[in-house]
Amino acid sequence: MRQIRVRIAPSPTGIPHIGNTRTALFNYLFAKHNQGMFLLRIEDTDRARIVAESEKAIYEILSWLGLQWDEEYKQSERLDIYKEHGKILQEKGLAYEDNGAIRFKMSKEGITEWVDAIGEKHISFENKTQEDFVIIKSDSFPTYNFANVVDDHLMQISHVIRGDEFISSTPKHIQLYEAFSWKHPVFAHLPVILGPDKTKLSKRHGAKSVLDYRDEGYLKEALLNFMVLLGWNPGGDREILSIEEMISLFDLKDVNTSSPVFDVHKLMWFNGYYIRNLSEDELFLRIKDLGLTIKDEQLAKKLIPLAQTRMNTLNDFYTLTKHFFEEPEIILDEKEKEVAKKLLDVFTNVLAWKKEDILQFLKQVLEQEKTRMTMFYKILTGKESGLPLPESLVILGKEKTIERLKRII
Ligand code: GLU
C-alpha cells in the first residue's frame, strides 16, 4: 500500500486559531495512526497578505502542542519549481501568458468530480461554471492554487485533509492534476467549526488565537482533547482522551459530516479536569512555565494543593493566591472594621495556629457578630471568596495575619 503522507499548509497570514490548529491535529493523528508522515509546508507566496510573527507562531503552536512534523518546506524557497511547471503547462498548450501573468486553461465542458473522504460524499462541479485562473503572477510568485497542487504532487501527499472552505477550489486543483497527467490525492474536507449561534466562529464566541489560550493558562492536553472532539467521534460517549488514545482510535470515517459547535465552557471544563489530574509537582512546573515569576517557591508549593481543586486555568493560581505573596489593598467600612477588631482579639489568643482551632474561632465570631463568611474573606484577603480560609490562614501564618489585621484597622 502507498505510504500515508499528509501535510498542513498554513499561510502565514495570521496567528493560528482553533480552526486551522484542529486541521493540523487531524492530519497529525491520521499520519501517526497509519505510520505515515506529517509534513509542514509554509504557503507564503501571497506576499501582500503575510503577517509578521505568524510564521513564528505556527512553529510555536505546533511545538507547544507536541504535533511534531517530519519534514518541512517553504514555498518562497521553491519558486524555480513552480516556474518550471508553469512552462510545462504552457508547452502543452494548457496555459497562456496574459499581461505578464500565466493563466491556466480550465476545461469548460463536462464536470469535475471526486468522492470526498468525509462521509464518502460525492461532490461535483459543472465545468461551465469554471474560469481560467492565474497560476503564476507577474511578480513571478505562483498563486495558492498552483503551488499547492505542484507541491502536493512532488511531496507525494496521499491525503489532503483541510477545511471545507477549500471545496470550491478543488475543481481547479483536480484539473491541474489532470493537465499534468498526475493522480490526485484523496480529498477530505473538514466541516467548518461554528459558534454556538451557528454562525461562523469568531472572537465573539470566545475563540481566539491558540497562543492566547496558552498564555491564559490552558493546558495543551485540554486543548488537544477539546479540539479532537470538534468534528470527530471516537465512538460511545468517551470524552477524555490522551494523545496516544487519539492516535490509536483516529479514523477519517469517524469525522462527522456536519459542523461542530465551539463551546468555550466545554474547553474550560476540560482544562479544569486536566489541571486536577496533574501531580502537584507537575502543576507547579506548568505554572512556572507560564513565565510568571513566583516570588516564593516554597510558599507556592504549599498553596498548590489548596488551589488545584479550584483552578480552571493556570492563571487562576495567581488570582487565587496573590494575597499570599503581596499585601492586598483592603478597604473596610465601619461594620467590617468592627468585625476585624474582633478577629484580631480572638486570633491574638489562639495558642496553636491550627486549622481546627482557627475554624472554631471564626465560627465563634460569626455567631457573635451575626455576619457571614464572605465578610471574613473580605477582611483577610480583600476578596469575597477564595481558598478555604482556615487552611489559608495557617499558610499565611499567625504573625502575618495579625499584622494584616492591625494594618487595615
Ligand atoms: N494555504 C492554505 C491555507 O492557508 C492551504 C489549504 C490546503 O490545505 O490546501 O489554509
Side-chain angles (χ1 to χ4, degrees):
M1 213 189 90
R2 190 175 168 195
Q3 199 201 11
I4 298 292
R5 288 173 61 86
V6 294
R7 80 321 188 256
I8 47 161
S11 302
T13 53
I15 311 290
H17 46 74
I18 290 280
N20 31 37
T21 309
R22 175 197 62 157
T23 301
L25 174 61
F26 282 19
N27 273 282
Y28 174 85
L29 295 176
F30 184 70
K32 295 295 142 185
H33 180 88
N34 293 292
Q35 286 88 45
M37 300 295 253
F38 171 59
L39 280 63
L40 168 60
R41 184 172 76 224
I42 305 287
E43 300 207 324
D44 58 345
T45 58
D46 193 346
R47 309 306 283 175
R49 291 184 56 227
I50 289 179
V51 172
E53 296 299 304
S54 57
E55 188 175 323
K56 194 170 141 253
I58 293 166
Y59 284 92
E60 227 176 296
I61 288 169
L62 293 174
S63 307
W64 175 57
L65 293 173
L67 305 180
Q68 184 55 51
W69 56 95
D70 302 300
E71 295 171 21
E72 77 182 73
Y73 304 91
K74 194 167 168 166
Q75 288 188 327
S76 58
E77 291 165 359
R78 300 166 55 81
L79 299 183
D80 288 349
I81 297 175
Y82 312 121
K83 213 163 149 189
E84 186 191 310
H85 282 81
K87 277 211 192 90
I88 296 178
L89 290 184
Q90 268 182 295
E91 277 157 19
K92 287 185 166 200
L94 296 171
Y96 57 93
E97 210 173 314
D98 174 26
N99 287 342
I102 299 177
R103 238 174 235 280
F104 177 64
K105 265 192 214 162
M106 282 289 272
S107 152
K108 310 288 181 332
E109 278 155 34
I111 55 167
T112 301
E113 59 184 340
W114 74 97
V115 176
D116 208 273
I118 305 302
E120 294 296 318
K121 205 167 48 213
H122 184 262
I123 303 180
S124 77
F125 284 82
E126 299 242 20
N127 288 342
K128 64 171 185 256
T129 62
Q130 303 290 323
E131 282 168 15
D132 295 356
F133 64 93
V134 173
I135 53 174
I136 308 239
K137 294 172 282 183
S138 49
D139 66 2
S140 79
F141 276 85
T143 55
Y144 152 70
N145 288 315
F146 189 57
N148 185 272
V149 164
V150 170
D151 279 346
D152 280 345
H153 173 76
L154 295 179
M155 295 171 193
Q156 296 173 292
I157 297 303
S158 61
H159 294 68
V160 166
I161 306 169
R162 62 184 170 198
D164 66 4
E165 68 268 32
F166 292 101
I167 286 183
S168 60
S169 318
T170 305
K172 296 190 182 72
H173 301 169
I174 291 181
Q175 287 212 20
L176 279 172
Y177 283 104
E178 285 168 355
F180 283 112
S181 311
W182 295 336
K183 196 171 166 312
H184 69 73
V186 174
F187 292 105
H189 288 99
L190 307 172
V192 67
I193 303 168
L194 298 178
D197 58 1
K198 306 288 153 70
T199 62
K200 194 172 177 292
L201 184 63
S202 71
K203 288 208 175 93
R204 194 159 47 85
H205 302 113
K208 39 196 151 195
S209 100
V210 172
L211 289 182
D212 286 342
Y213 285 116
R214 182 196 61 186
D215 298 342
E216 286 174 21
Y218 284 85
L219 302 183
K220 60 171 195 247
E221 293 87 343
L223 207 60
L224 289 168
N225 200 152
F226 172 72
M227 284 191 302
V228 84
L229 297 176
L230 289 172
W232 174 67
N233 192 337
D237 43 20
R238 272 191 87 157
E239 289 237 290
I240 300 294
L241 296 143
S242 66
I243 190 84
E244 292 79 17
E245 290 169 314
M246 295 177 204
I247 291 173
S248 85
L249 295 169
F250 190 82
D251 194 329
L252 282 179
K253 77 175 184 345
D254 299 322
V255 173
N256 302 330
T257 50
S258 56
S259 280
V261 172
F262 176 91
D263 177 358
V264 76
H265 304 289
K266 186 150 185 195
L267 172 56
M268 182 76 96
W269 181 87
F270 273 117
N271 210 47
Y273 173 87
Y274 278 99
I275 285 181
R276 276 178 265 302
N277 275 277
L278 293 178
S279 70
E280 288 172 14
D281 288 345
E282 181 63 23
L283 179 54
F284 176 73
L285 291 178
R286 300 285 185 112
I287 293 168
K288 244 177 100 170
D289 278 354
L290 214 55
L292 294 151
T293 34
I294 299 178
K295 285 184 201 131
D296 181 341
E297 296 207 350
Q298 281 325 96
L299 176 58
K301 281 185 181 159
K302 279 194 217 153
L303 290 165
I304 293 248
L306 275 193
Q308 187 166 20
T309 52
R310 291 169 178 80
M311 292 163 59
N312 283 322
T313 67
L314 295 176
N315 281 350
D316 284 348
F317 184 74
Y318 289 91
T319 348
L320 285 166
T321 66
K322 219 166 74 196
H323 68 91
F324 289 89
F325 296 93
E326 50 197 68
E327 275 306 302
E329 202 193 320
I330 304 171
I331 298 162
L332 303 180
D333 62 23
E334 282 314 308
K335 167 76 184 161
E336 290 161 345
K337 266 191 194 149
E338 279 308 304
V339 177
K341 278 183 196 148
K342 245 304 154 6
L343 286 174
L344 179 60
D345 269 357
V346 293
F347 283 162
T348 319
N349 296 320
V350 180
L351 288 178
W353 194 248
K354 289 197 310 235
K355 75 171 189 220
E356 294 79 12
D357 300 38
I358 295 172
L359 184 62
Q360 211 44 50
F361 280 100
L362 286 175
K363 278 187 178 155
Q364 195 183 306
V365 180
L366 204 73
E367 265 163 41
Q368 285 172 3
E369 298 294 317
K370 307 247 172 307
T371 175
R372 288 186 302 154
M373 228 14 167
T374 49
M375 190 190 280
F376 291 163
Y377 273 103
K378 176 144 184 244
I379 293 169
L380 290 156
T381 71
K383 286 186 302 177
E384 302 217 326
S385 62
L387 302 180
L389 214 41
E391 285 90 335
S392 293
L393 295 181
V394 171
I395 295 176
L396 190 65
K398 181 170 175 177
E399 208 179 307
K400 264 207 160 161
T401 307
I402 290 188
E403 245 172 53
R404 185 175 289 180
L405 284 168
K406 283 187 176 156
R407 177 174 63 88
I408 54 172
I409 293 168

